[in-house]
Amino acid sequence: DAGVIQSPRHEVTEMGQEVTLRCKPISGHNSLFWYRQTMMRGLELLIYFNNNVPIDDSGMPEDRFSAKMPNASFSTLKIQPSEPRDSAVYFCASSSVDRGGYGYTFGSGTRLTVV
Amino acid sequence: QKEVEQNSGPLSVPEGAIASLNCTYSDRGSQSFFWYRQYSGKSPELIMFIYSNGDKEDGRFTAQLNKASQYVSLLIRDSQPSDSATYLCAVNQGGKLIFGQGTELSVKP
């Protein structure tokens, strides 16, 4: 089991640039979640998908943020244009809907710095 | 009121002592509760989950749930320096996990 795989691990970009974060969930998991973690706000849920369909995107902070899940093994979170306040660690997590009650498995995260 | 509240700490305990971490939640309809451990610079990892009122034990860890008081706790017995981390309480609300801010635990040798 390779776990949840995120890329890149670190991203430094200039304000105004487009940033794309990638996630490969655990095979067989049909729920995928994007979280953002900062010191001030803690771990915030941005959006989640069940069976590749977005279920709740109420946590997406602005229209600059978008997420897609074109198939069961891949998801992207895009920020366009990026701003310094978007600097955070972005985590992807997955679970099985059947076993969602048993918690999620998190990826290693992407540390985003916007300068 | 935040949906899930924890004391941010830091909580400092000596090695071998019991560490007690607390969490309250606002949604009375929540049914499942989780404790995650996060080492500095790492991702959260699940250590315990609990659904029913009462205690659930797993090794040195005991989770306690009181739905009437909307209160969840985690006890760590015989605390070790390797337990030093941030502990995140999470509550399942409608299929999504809502996390508290976390409590930083420091176990001193």
Side-chain angles (χ1 to χ4, degrees):
Chain A
D1 184 353
V4 177
I5 300 173
Q6 292 187 245
S7 65
R9 290 296 305 276
H10 302 275
E11 177 80 33
V12 180
T13 190
E14 291 185 347
M15 182 174 61
Q17 296 299 305
E18 177 179 294
V19 176
T20 300
L21 311 181
R22 297 173 176 79
C23 176
K24 176 179 170 56
I26 291 173
S27 178
H29 281 189
N30 49 10
S31 294
L32 184 140
F33 307 83
W34 282 100
Y35 283 86
R36 176 173 69 176
Q37 187 173 39
T38 61
M39 288 293 292
M40 289 295 296
R41 300 176 67 89
L43 200 56
E44 303 173 279
L45 178 64
L46 301 177
I47 185 171
Y48 79 96
F49 297 82
N50 280 350
N51 297 316
N52 313 337
V53 177
I55 302 300
D56 185 344
D57 66 354
S58 59
M60 297 286 262
E62 299 172 34
D63 291 346
R64 299 185 295 106
F65 286 70
S66 62
K68 294 183 180 179
M69 191 165 186
N71 57 62
S73 59
F74 184 66
S75 177
T76 59
L77 178 67
K78 186 176 294 186
I79 308 172
Q80 166 64 20
S82 58
E83 297 182 4
R85 60 193 168 119
D86 301 331
S87 298
V89 180
Y90 290 80
F91 287 106
C92 175
S94 72
S95 75
S96 166
V97 171
D98 293 343
R99 294 178 55 80
Y102 297 96
Y104 307 163
T105 301
F106 282 80
S108 299
T110 295
R111 182 174 295 276
L112 173 65
T113 303
V114 183
V115 298
Chain B
Q1 181 187 6
K2 291 183 179 179
E3 294 177 280
V4 182
E5 294 206 50
Q6 299 179 249
N7 290 329
S8 61
L11 172 66
S12 183
V13 300
E15 184 175 356
I18 296 175
S20 178
L21 305 161
N22 305 314
C23 172
T24 57
Y25 59 95
S26 61
D27 184 355
R28 192 170 283 279
S30 300
Q31 295 296 318
S32 51
F33 309 86
F34 304 83
W35 284 99
Y36 281 78
R37 177 177 61 200
Q38 186 175 26
Y39 292 112
S40 180
K42 302 295 185 182
S43 58
E45 59 176 323
L46 180 66
I47 54 174
M48 290 283 289
F49 62 87
I50 186 167
Y51 302 152
S52 304
N53 279 329
D55 295 358
K56 179 181 179 182
E57 188 174 316
D58 183 0
R60 296 186 297 111
F61 298 96
T62 299
Q64 299 174 318
L65 174 61
N66 184 326
K67 290 185 179 180
S69 300
Q70 296 174 244
Y71 178 89
V72 190
S73 65
L74 179 70
L75 300 178
I76 306 174
R77 291 181 300 280
D78 188 23
S79 296
Q80 301 297 309
S82 59
D83 295 326
S84 297
T86 296
Y87 289 80
L88 299 163
C89 172
V91 176
N92 189 326
Q93 292 184 4
K96 56 187 183 183
L97 288 193
I98 306 301
F99 285 82
Q101 284 280 91
T103 298
E104 183 184 350
L105 172 66
S106 177
V107 181
K108 304 295 187 184

